Every structure is written in structure tokens, then in C-alpha cells.
Amino acid sequence: MSPKVDKQKRRRNTLKLSDKLEIIKKLESGVSVSVLMETYDIGKSTIYDIKKAKNKILQFTASSEPYNKIAERKSLHKPKFENLDKVLHEWFLIKRSEGMAISGPMLITKAKSFKEQMNIDSECNFSSGWLRNFKMRHGIRQLNVVGERQSADIHAAADYSATFEKIVIDYDLTPDQIYNADETGVFWKCLPTKTLAGNQERNAKGFKMNKERLTVLTCANASGQHKIKLLVIGKYKRPRAFKGVLHLPVTYKAQKNAWMDKDIFQDWFVNDFIPSVRQNLTNLGKPANTKCLLLLDNCRAHPHESKLVSDCGNIFASYLPPNVTSLIQPMDQGVIRNFKCHYKNDFMMKMLNKDVDSIEFQRSFTIKDAVFSLVTAWNTVKPVTLLRAWRKLWPNVMHGELECEENEDIEVFLVEQRASEVNELMQSVKLAQEDNPLCKLNEEDLEEWICIEDDVEIAATFTDQEIIDSITNPDQTEEHTSEKSDEEDDRLETEKVSWATAEKCMETIVKFVEQNHSFTLQDVMQVHMVQNNFITKKLQSRRQCDIRRYLQKTTEASAIQTTNQLQQQTLTTLNPQTDHLAQQEEENMSYAEETSANSHPASQKLSSQADHQV
């Protein structure tokens, strides 16, 4: 009799959601069930249960935020009032992004308020246990006791710098592979206040400080080698000024208040950022699966980082801690200010070039002009400016010839750069004539003009009801865009310029540049290159027109030939029938005559006698 073998009972092992996700991935990659059983110390039935619940697990984790906290959970249980939980969490994120400190009692009070607004009749005890579970579900580590606005957190900035260095090492990232993006508001028609006052337009009938706004998203990598095409958000879906323009140098989106929102950002990430980064990797000769990081601030218009991942997983986003944007976010370290200064300088130079007052110039300056000026300004931002902007977050950043000095004081550099920007604007002011209000501007006026958009909102501010509607009725929320055209003057609509007209203008420009002492030989050659490019495009266009005409004539001739052939075929088909009918008619007539003659012999005899007498 064989000895009895004692089977040791397996200890119950409850897996986290992160473990279940790993098992699902390994099963899809071909890892055997026996290996998974040994690795996670679980039974075969558990693995089959996880495989069966795959879709449910993936859907739960995809719809939950934040992922890093959800992954620690061991069940898929949702809160009793799921929509209330989502609404409260959305409100919390919005208020924290605005810099408001939220305490536990404030959350409980707001939860009770939302419960009443959402007409929830069931009982809910908003106890300390409920608050603890809410914080655990959403990864809220601590709440501020005081209700004051949060200020820049120096300690958090220093801690994250060390964390960022670790991320760089872990993923083996270079400055070419790390990007930062940030939004800014631009009053694209706004003039310095003193200019308007000097022109006595502040008291003019109907005068209003022009603050028509665009929201612009800037993005570039840490080396300054790659700038992503600007994303510009306006109020109107089809601005009249864009009519006839075949190629815009920006990605243009419309939102009813010209604000950034999660849908627009998600679309930009998928359709602009990822393709542009992949193309840059190809240009640099790097593998397609090279890791690339997009660093973002905690703006309420940004989707959760779990949704900002490429299909291959190599391009992903990461968020800065709250309240450190002004301290270490690269775009806020002089890049956006430099970009705006270049735009304002370009705007002022265009105004100086027009022999009209400021109000008339503002009316004639279109959103199309603004878009091209924004692109010109973005292209003018130097790579070294972009590189230095990372020094606070990444002190050891360096890139080839743009390597920064090791002991360089970034604060001193920023001060010098701001002074240089104001000085550049002052040089443009000096070009104004004495009767132009611009000539009265000083450095303080220009500094005020540069900073006029600093506190402009770039994302929507929602009411409680709008937050509730966005969660409970996402499909019935108001449309993002306005179908209306803008309200620009109808005089702005112009006829299409012909090749002949453009050629005459080009010849005039070339002659002017050749004869004017203000232009160097390099300028003259650049204009000649533009003229040569124009001639090439004109000949190509003429060739294409000739081909189109030839194809059109060929098509018409072929159609005529086909028509004739069809007619001939029709006649050929009808002719045998016609001949048969004619032959039958002849036979019928002969038969009739023959029959008539045989039936009247007396008449024939009389007729013969009459002929003889005659």
C-alpha cells in the first residue's frame, strides 16, 4: 500500500488589477498557463476567469482615473452613486487646476450639493469613511486644510526635478526625445494702451479695447531641434479671411469661446503630435519604437495621461505636479514670452507700414494675417532659447553645439532676455513717424503690452450644472464650434489673383529690390530665387492646364465617336427591317395590279380598240 501523500492547500492569493492586466498581456503574447500559475501563485481556474473577464477589466481601467491608483485595486466594484462620484471628481480636478485648495469638509459639502442638484433621492452617508474611499478611488493623497489659493511649491518643484532625472535615465531619453507643450492666449489685434490714448480713440464713439483672442498651443523638444506645428483655436469654424487659402501653416480648430478642451487636445495629440514626432525620429535615423515623452502641466483641458499614449506605447505623456508650472515648466521659462514678443513686433511693423490710424488698421488686420504672423514669430524663436528653458527642470541638459555653460545662471539669462526683447520692440518704435502715437511708447508701456495676456484663461470655466451635464449627458452637450463665419468687413473679400497679375507684381518687386540701397546682395538673390520658383510653378501649372485641355478634348472626341458608332449601329439594325417592308409592299402592289387585270377582260378589249382607232 503506497503511503498517503498530503497535498498542501494553496494559499488564497488576491490579485491587483495591475497583475490581472499583466496576465492578460502575457496570455496574448503566448506565455503558457503553467508559467503564469507558477509566477503569480494562482490556480488554472483563476487564469481562465481573468481571461473570460478580459473586456470587463480593460473597460473598467480605461474609464477610471487615475490609472496608477486604480491599478492597485483588487476588485471592479464601483461606488453606489457612480455619476455623483464622477461629477465630484471632475469638480475637484477643475478647482485644483485653478489653484484652489480643497479640504475634506469642502468635498463633503460639495458632494451634498451635487446630490441635491442631481435629484438623487436615495440615502447617502457622507461620512469620514466615504471621504477616505473617495480619496483612495481617485488617488488623492492629501487635502489642504486651509481654503487659500495655492502658491508655487518650491519643494515640490525640487522633488520633481529629481524624479524627472530618474525618468530620463530609466527610459534612456535624450533632449531630442523629450517635449513640452503649453497653451497661451493671444490678443491678436490688441495695441498698447498709450497708443490708443495718444490717438484720442479711447473716447471715440463705440470704442472698445480690442481683445479678440486666439488660444495657441506651442510645443517643441528639449534640444530645440524640432518644433511642432502650432495649434491655433478660434471661435469660428470657417473664418471668412481663410476663403481661398489652400495651405494654412497651422492646425486650426474652432471652439465657441476659443478655449482649449480635452477633445481638441486629444485630437492634436493623435493627429499632429504623434505623426510629427515619428517623422522626426525617421529624420534623425532613430528606430520607430524609440521612446518619446511629452511633458504637460495640470491644465483642466488636458486628458488623463492614460489616454495620451501612441498605439505602440513608445510615445506617451507625463504630468508635472500641481503648482510647479511657473517654476520649472520649460515653456514658461521665457519661451512663450519670447514667442509673443516676436509676434507683437511683427504686428507693430505691419501697422507702421500702413498709412492709416490704429482703428482702421485693426479692422483691416484679419485672422489670416494673425496666423501667418504667429508662425513667423514661432519660427523666429531660437533653438538655444528652447534648450535653456529646460535648465531649471533638467540642469544637466545639453545638446551638441547648443550645450549650455555648466555654471550659467538661468535667472540672469532670463532677465537679460527680457531686456533684449523690450529693446527689440523699442527699435521698431523708433521707426515710427512723429505724428504716429507709437513713437510715444516707452519701455514700461511695452512691458505692459507684452504681459497683457498673462492671466488670460485658455480653458473653459464650468458651472456646477455644466459639470453635471458633461457627465450625465455627454452626447447632448453644446457643440464645440460655431458654424457662422466671422463678422469681418465684407470689403476683405478679394478676387482671385491671376498668374499674369502676379507675374507683373513679381517683376516690379525684383526691380525695386535691385535698385534700392536698403537691400543687400543676399536680399537681391533671395528675391531672384523666389522669382525663379514662381516661374517654375507657373510653367508647371500651364503644363497641367495643357494636359487637362488635351484630356478634355480627347474625352469630347471619344464621346462624339461613341455617339456616331451607336447611331450607325442603330441604323444598321433598322435597315434590314426597312428593306423587307419595302419589298413586301412592292409584291403587294404587283399582286393587286395582276388581280385587277384578270378580273376585267372586257375593259381591256375596249381599251385596245380605242387605241387602234386613235
Side-chain angles (χ1 to χ4, degrees):
M1 185 175 179
S2 59
K4 186 176 180 181
V5 179
D6 294 331
K7 292 185 178 180
Q8 185 178 1
K9 188 175 181 181
R10 179 182 289 108
R11 182 175 56 86
R12 180 178 176 81
N13 186 12
T14 305
L15 298 175
K16 301 176 184 177
L17 281 180
S18 57
D19 295 328
K20 295 178 181 179
L21 289 171
E22 286 180 4
I23 290 173
I24 290 171
K25 290 181 180 179
K26 289 179 180 180
L27 284 171
E28 291 176 345
S29 63
V31 179
S32 66
V33 174
S34 58
V35 172
L36 294 175
M37 290 172 58
E38 183 178 353
T39 303
Y40 294 94
D41 191 21
I42 54 178
K44 184 184 293 186
S45 60
T46 303
I47 294 179
Y48 286 138
D49 289 340
I50 293 173
K51 187 177 180 180
K52 186 177 180 180
K54 169 187 170 182
N55 292 335
K56 190 175 180 180
I57 294 171
L58 293 177
Q59 183 178 3
F60 180 83
T61 53
S63 61
S64 302
E65 296 181 7
Y67 171 78
N68 60 346
K69 198 66 181 178
I70 291 297
E72 296 298 314
R73 296 184 58 176
K74 297 183 178 181
S75 69
L76 304 183
H77 295 161
K78 295 184 178 181
K80 181 179 179 181
F81 303 107
E82 185 177 356
N83 280 342
L84 173 61
D85 188 85
K86 290 181 179 179
V87 168
L88 184 62
H89 183 235
E90 184 68 19
W91 175 85
F92 173 80
L93 293 177
I94 289 173
K95 294 306 175 184
R96 286 300 292 263
S97 69
E98 293 174 354
M100 180 182 290
I102 307 295
S103 64
M106 288 174 64
L107 263 180
I108 292 176
T109 302
K110 198 64 186 178
K112 292 178 180 179
S113 174
F114 277 130
K115 179 177 179 292
E116 292 180 3
Q117 294 180 61
M118 296 173 70
N119 298 320
I120 299 175
D121 297 329
S122 302
E123 289 294 326
C124 181
N125 183 19
F126 296 102
S127 61
S128 58
W130 169 88
L131 178 62
R132 181 181 64 253
N133 291 335
F134 177 83
K135 291 165 60 179
M136 289 181 62
R137 277 195 300 272
H138 300 289
I140 301 172
R141 290 177 295 178
Q142 61 181 18
L143 295 171
N144 298 75
V145 178
V146 295
E148 298 178 356
R149 239 172 219 286
Q150 297 171 319
S151 58
D153 193 336
I154 299 176
H155 297 293
D159 292 342
Y160 184 77
S161 293
T163 303
F164 180 77
E165 290 275 6
K166 187 177 184 302
I167 293 174
V168 171
I169 295 172
D170 290 346
Y171 289 102
D172 192 23
L173 299 174
T174 66
D176 288 328
Q177 299 165 236
I178 305 176
Y179 292 78
N180 177 227
D182 193 21
E183 300 89 350
T184 184
V186 177
F187 294 147
W188 57 280
K189 282 189 177 184
C190 183
L191 288 165
T193 305
K194 197 168 183 179
T195 303
L196 301 171
N199 219 10
Q200 296 183 348
E201 292 162 355
R202 184 178 295 279
N203 298 323
K205 184 179 179 181
F207 171 78
K208 183 180 179 181
M209 174 74 73
N210 195 307
K211 290 189 177 182
E212 293 186 51
R213 177 178 50 81
L214 295 171
T215 295
V216 182
L217 176 68
T218 59
C219 180
N221 62 4
S223 68
Q225 164 267 339
H226 184 212
K227 297 175 186 173
I228 305 293
K229 182 167 64 173
L230 292 177
L231 170 65
V232 177
I233 305 171
K235 289 184 179 181
Y236 301 98
K237 189 174 182 179
R238 293 185 296 271
R240 188 180 294 116
F242 289 173
K243 185 177 180 180
V245 179
L246 300 179
H247 305 290
L248 277 178
V250 302
T251 298
Y252 180 82
K253 297 292 181 181
Q255 202 270 353
K256 62 178 182 178
N257 294 308
W259 281 331
M260 174 65 82
D261 61 29
K262 293 183 179 180
D263 291 336
I264 293 177
F265 194 94
Q266 182 76 32
D267 180 81
W268 170 83
F269 181 82
V270 173
N271 297 315
D272 287 88
F273 179 73
I274 291 177
S276 184
V277 170
R278 284 176 173 167
Q279 182 60 51
N280 189 55
L281 290 175
T282 301
N283 296 339
L284 295 173
K286 293 181 180 292
N289 61 348
T290 301
K291 298 287 185 182
C292 289
L293 169 68
L294 174 62
L295 198 62
L296 299 170
D297 61 17
N298 282 270
C299 173
R300 56 183 174 272
H302 294 165
H304 189 263
E305 63 185 35
S306 62
K307 299 179 180 179
L308 299 177
V309 183
S310 65
D311 50 2
C312 298
N314 63 309
I315 302 174
F316 56 96
S318 178
Y319 281 97
L320 291 161
N323 308 309
V324 300
T325 298
S326 61
L327 297 175
I328 58 176
Q329 177 165 235
M331 286 294 170
D332 282 337
Q333 309 308 313
V335 175
I336 288 179
R337 176 189 164 96
N338 187 253
F339 161 64
K340 286 187 176 182
C341 285
H342 289 312
Y343 174 78
K344 293 179 185 296
N345 189 50
D346 186 79
F347 179 77
M348 188 160 54
M349 293 296 289
K350 284 181 169 62
M351 180 179 173
L352 291 173
N353 188 52
K354 297 284 187 179
D355 191 19
V356 294
D357 60 29
S358 58
I359 296 298
E360 184 61 31
F361 172 72
Q362 285 178 321
R363 287 174 181 166
S364 65
F365 193 78
T366 69
I367 190 173
K368 182 196 74 173
D369 301 324
V371 162
F372 279 90
S373 292
L374 286 168
V375 174
T376 301
W378 183 232
N379 291 339
T380 309
V381 176
K382 298 178 181 179
V384 69
T385 302
L386 294 166
L387 179 66
R388 280 196 173 100
W390 289 79
R391 288 301 300 273
K392 285 188 176 181
L393 173 62
W394 193 5
N396 298 325
V397 63
M398 57 187 64
H399 182 72
E401 297 179 357
L402 297 180
E403 180 177 343
C404 300
E405 296 179 10
E406 185 176 353
N407 297 323
E408 180 183 40
D409 190 332
I410 189 63
E411 292 294 344
V412 173
F413 167 74
L414 291 175
V415 171
E416 293 176 349
Q417 180 174 280
R418 286 192 285 268
S420 175
E421 291 162 350
V422 173
N423 182 62
E424 182 181 353
L425 289 174
M426 280 300 301
Q427 295 303 316
S428 299
V429 166
K430 293 177 181 179
L431 299 175
Q433 298 180 357
E434 293 182 1
D435 59 343
N436 192 317
L438 285 175
C439 69
K440 300 178 182 179
L441 297 176
N442 55 36
E443 293 184 356
E444 292 182 0
D445 300 325
L446 294 175
E447 182 65 33
E448 179 187 357
W449 187 35
I450 293 170
C451 301
I452 194 170
E453 302 118 337
D454 282 359
D455 297 325
V456 174
E457 290 288 343
I458 52 89
T461 301
F462 296 101
T463 63
D464 287 355
Q465 189 59 48
E466 287 173 336
I467 296 174
I468 293 172
D469 291 340
S470 68
I471 298 299
T472 58
N473 300 305
D475 297 331
Q476 299 179 9
T477 53
E478 192 171 356
E479 290 292 329
H480 291 298
T481 60
S482 172
E483 294 292 334
K484 299 178 181 179
S485 298
D486 58 15
E487 299 179 356
E488 294 172 357
D489 198 324
D490 290 337
R491 294 175 298 173
L492 297 175
E493 295 190 12
T494 57
E495 296 180 359
K496 188 175 181 179
V497 180
S498 66
W499 281 102
T501 303
E503 186 172 19
K504 290 180 180 178
C505 294
M506 181 66 67
E507 291 174 353
T508 303
I509 292 174
V510 171
K511 289 180 181 178
F512 174 77
V513 173
E514 289 174 342
Q515 298 171 2
N516 197 297
H517 293 291
S518 299
F519 299 95
T520 64
L521 176 60
Q522 184 178 1
D523 296 330
V524 174
M525 294 309 301
Q526 287 178 347
V527 173
H528 273 280
M529 290 177 66
V530 173
Q531 185 185 35
N532 290 341
N533 187 38
F534 174 86
I535 293 172
T536 301
K537 297 297 182 183
K538 178 187 174 184
L539 293 176
Q540 290 175 350
S541 176
R542 181 187 298 173
R543 176 64 176 166
Q544 290 172 355
C545 289
D546 292 341
I547 293 173
R548 281 196 295 268
R549 289 196 202 97
Y550 172 76
L551 291 175
Q552 184 177 1
K553 290 180 180 179
T554 303
T555 304
E556 291 174 355
S558 177
I560 293 172
Q561 185 178 359
T562 302
T563 303
N564 292 336
Q565 289 176 352
L566 289 173
Q567 291 176 350
Q568 187 65 31
Q569 290 175 1
T570 303
L571 291 173
T572 304
T573 305
L574 294 175
N575 281 341
Q577 298 177 359
T578 306
D579 294 342
H580 176 72
L581 292 173
Q583 185 179 0
Q584 188 175 5
E585 186 177 353
E586 252 179 57
E587 290 176 355
N588 290 339
M589 289 179 65
S590 292
Y591 177 76
E593 290 176 357
E594 197 176 318
T595 304
S596 177
N598 293 335
S599 60
H600 298 89
S603 299
Q604 290 179 358
K605 185 177 181 181
L606 290 174
S607 178
S608 179
Q609 291 177 354
D611 291 342
H612 178 71
Q613 290 176 357
V614 172

